[in-house]
Amino acid sequence: MELWFTEKQTDRFGITMKIKRTLHTEQTDFQKLDMVETEEFGNMLVLDGMVMTTQKDEFVYHEMVAHVPLFTHPNPENVLVVGGGDGGVIREVLKHPSVKKATLVEIDGKVIEYSKKYLPEIAGMLDDARVEVKVDDGFMHIANSENEYDVIMVDSTEPVGPAVNLFTKGFYAGISKALKGDGVFVAQTDNPWFTPELITNVQRDVKEIFPITRLYIANIPTYPSGLWTFTIGSKKHDPIAIEDSRFHDIETKYYTKDLHKAAFTLPRFVEDLIK
Ligand code: AG3
């Protein structure tokens, strides 16, 4: 018998993958968690029916969430990841020698537990000495932080279920307060094909709070439409005006110095969303 998984990315469109076997399935306190082995993309974490990460294409998302803001900031020492319980962003953060401390605040401890078990090359750095893992509500953590972080990365699910607060203007205001005077933040902001209003709204909200607001893109085959966006808010440093000398060599598979710049060049229909 053949087993296929479909994520209905909209009511009328989906992505389908052939499944070898189910590794784990459970209703956690926050969401439905499925870990499956796919034929094409290796092990895959699915939350509430939505693809979160796969062994084959995870590097694109994790490198782009981490390295764009971390190279934008001249000396990131204290960084925070909100969400991201699979550990992929943390793994990339730790490639930056300036980082002294990386805090991960993930609301669902089960995501951490099963990522460690079934996605070891993604979650493997969560036990590093520079990392503090807190199983807690990211929104509350931000609300209680002030002038603390150089860079904050929001690696959330979609704005349904547990992450709904993480797409509000109040949250971005909290992030601004939690950042130091020259801090930078990034959030994953979905795709321009099926959720264009979300991109427009987040840009509008972030612009009202951060003097520098920008959008960049990456190709992620297993996410809706394959074209993903990230919104940056920055107090001082402009991600598209980085001195060449700022870039240092790190091991990556997607991110490069040239790609950093190229990622901010948007197709016209995407540019139009943020005018
Ligand atoms: N977080 C964003 C995934 C969004 C995908 N959406 C979907 N499949 N509908 C990914 C977490 C990776 N660390």
Side-chain angles (χ1 to χ4, degrees), residues 141-187:
H141 183 90
I142 287 289
N144 295 327
S145 307
E146 200 169 334
N147 195 25
E148 204 172 327
Y149 299 105
D150 299 305
V151 176
I152 296 176
M153 287 148 275
V154 184
D155 178 10
S156 67
T157 52
E158 307 257 342
V160 286
V164 71
N165 287 333
L166 306 185
F167 289 82
T168 59
K169 197 167 162 197
F171 182 61
Y172 304 131
I175 286 188
S176 174
K177 176 176 67 72
L179 284 170
K180 291 182 190 158
D182 65 344
V184 183
F185 105 96
V186 68

Side-chain angles (χ1 to χ4, degrees), residues 7 9 49-53 61-62 84-89 155-158 188 190 222-224 228:
E7 175 183 340
Q9 298 181 341
M50 293 178 274
V51 174
M52 287 298 124
T53 201
Y61 180 91
H62 294 134
D86 54 65
V89 175
D155 178 10
S156 67
T157 52
E158 307 257 342
Q188 72 90 358
D190 224 298
T222 58
Y223 286 179
W228 211 248

